[in-house]
Amino acid sequence: GVHDPAPAGSTRALQARLSGFPARGPFLLDGLDIESLVREDLAQNLRESRYFNDLLFYAGASGLFRRLPVELFFLPYENMARDRMLLWAARDAAPQMKTIGYQHTGITPQHLNFRLGKAELASLPLPGAIVAMSEATKELLAGWGFPKRALAVGCALRQAASAPPRAPRPASRPPRLLVLLATSIAEAESLLSALHAAFADRPEAVSALVRAHPAMPRVAELVETRRLQPPFRNGTGQPIEDAWAWADAVVYASSTLGIESVHRGIPAIFFDLGGFLSVDPGFMLDALKWTVSDADGLRRAAAEIAALTPEQLQPAREAGRRFTERYLRPPSADSLAAFFQNDETQPIAR
């Protein structure tokens, strides 16, 4: 039968979990022996990382690829540790298999996983081809070190080709803010605190719907424990299309939905949390977008948006739409073809 390496791989993963990262001394700093500090830092890093699980991921994927006669393997691709484990498993267990990675979400300056040095190119496993969701993100990947010959332009699979027209907000109704919580507890705490500071004592100024990312259960739990009171309410679990139809503007700190909102003609307020590198997926967008960094800025931006007439908004909506169609290319027969190009038109690099 076919040899299954998974048990051996699992054993190696467990050994690594118990023994930690390999480290060789001497560990000297200005003549002082700091070995205990170095080893404790390595141990903490191991405890806080997914190193053990990633090794198990490689072992399981290796066994799967050896058992299944897969010719072409697609994977959502972010050059994260588990992506690399899958690609290493594919290379080692099924070297004849072709691999295509799909760059499927927004890219920000903080996404250092998408920045490759020359030495990394020589050692990291990469997909044979990488299909970017747009020409704009392809250019970013090429500029950040990915080999141009392996890059192709596909589309943003979840992007709507068109959005319904938006009715003007009735003057008698306060503006509605859709607050998008995406990546972490810290982000959610900061946005919720700013929202409360900006509007808790002005319940007549806005109505706010707070929506946690469906793949972030801890953030959803945080929103639930806050027991939001008017003018705020919890919209986690509500279909995003319904939330967009309700909203007059969105507030986001890192969610790609911020850009998708602009595509639908909804003004976006980017809340800058002050990181050294920007986490804004719309960092190249300057139309139909306001940038704030505190509660006062959030309150002013909401008031400015509420004061704009449809005629004043229209040029910004058109400019925002032009950007988003280049950044989030809508699906079409032509754009979908990039996922299925043959070897003559889409090189598969190893």
Side-chain angles (χ1 to χ4, degrees), residues 1-317:
V2 178
H3 173 62
D4 186 351
S10 301
T11 300
R12 287 195 298 272
L14 181 58
Q15 289 173 340
R17 179 67 179 87
L18 296 175
S19 60
F21 295 116
R24 295 180 181 178
F27 304 98
L28 301 176
L29 178 64
D30 293 335
L32 298 175
D33 187 344
I34 59 169
E35 179 176 352
S36 60
L37 295 177
V38 171
R39 293 194 180 280
E40 174 56 31
D41 188 69
L42 288 172
Q44 180 178 348
N45 186 281
L46 181 65
R47 290 193 297 270
E48 294 177 353
S49 74
R50 297 188 301 196
Y51 179 59
F52 172 60
N53 289 338
D54 289 338
L55 290 177
L56 281 178
F57 212 64
Y58 167 82
S62 295
L64 180 68
F65 290 144
R66 279 187 164 86
R67 288 170 177 262
L68 295 179
V70 179
E71 296 182 3
L72 179 60
F73 176 48
F74 287 94
L75 74 156
Y77 181 68
E78 299 180 50
N79 195 31
M80 302 295 279
R82 289 196 173 182
D83 301 340
R84 297 171 186 177
M85 293 298 102
L86 282 171
L87 292 167
W88 256 317
R91 182 190 64 184
D92 294 345
Q96 78 290 344
M97 183 170 67
K98 298 170 184 175
T99 56
I100 296 180
Y102 172 45
Q103 178 271 311
H104 60 98
T105 190
I107 300 178
T108 76
Q110 195 183 56
H111 280 92
L112 299 180
N113 45 301
F114 279 121
R115 295 178 182 261
L116 296 184
K118 293 181 179 179
E120 288 181 291
L121 277 176
S123 59
L124 287 181
L126 297 175
I130 299 171
V131 179
M133 66 180 186
S134 68
E135 187 66 39
T137 58
K138 176 191 172 184
E139 290 173 0
L140 285 175
L141 294 179
W144 291 350
F146 281 84
K148 293 180 180 179
R149 62 185 173 82
L151 297 174
V153 177
C155 60
L157 289 174
R158 68 181 187 181
Q159 179 64 20
S162 61
R166 301 194 61 78
R169 178 181 64 87
S172 60
R173 174 172 62 72
R176 296 169 172 175
L177 299 182
L178 171 60
V179 183
L180 301 167
L181 309 180
T183 57
S184 68
I185 293 290
E187 175 194 289
E189 288 277 14
S190 297
L191 278 179
L192 290 174
S193 295
L195 190 69
H196 187 271
F199 301 113
D201 61 345
R202 299 172 178 84
E204 76 289 344
V206 298
S207 178
L209 184 69
V210 178
R211 186 180 187 274
H213 192 291
M216 298 294 293
R218 291 184 60 196
V219 174
E221 290 171 7
L222 172 67
V223 176
E224 184 68 28
T225 59
R226 283 296 184 96
R227 300 187 183 281
L228 300 175
Q229 300 296 320
F232 318 123
R233 63 187 178 92
N234 186 358
T236 300
Q238 180 174 338
I240 187 60
E241 293 291 346
D242 293 348
W244 272 324
W246 174 88
D248 298 311
V250 301
V251 181
Y252 75 103
S254 63
S255 175
T256 307
L257 293 178
I259 304 178
E260 295 189 46
S261 300
V262 170
H263 180 76
R264 286 161 173 78
I266 306 172
I269 303 173
F270 167 61
F271 197 98
D272 186 353
L273 298 176
F276 180 71
L277 295 174
S278 175
V279 296
D280 180 12
F283 70 99
M284 298 184 292
L285 171 67
D286 57 11
L288 205 63
K289 188 182 94 168
W290 283 251
T291 298
V292 303
S293 58
D294 55 29
D296 288 339
L298 179 59
R299 188 165 47 243
R300 286 194 300 271
E304 288 177 16
I305 293 169
L308 294 173
T309 66
E311 292 75 21
Q312 291 171 320
L313 276 172
Q314 191 57 32
R317 282 174 167 158

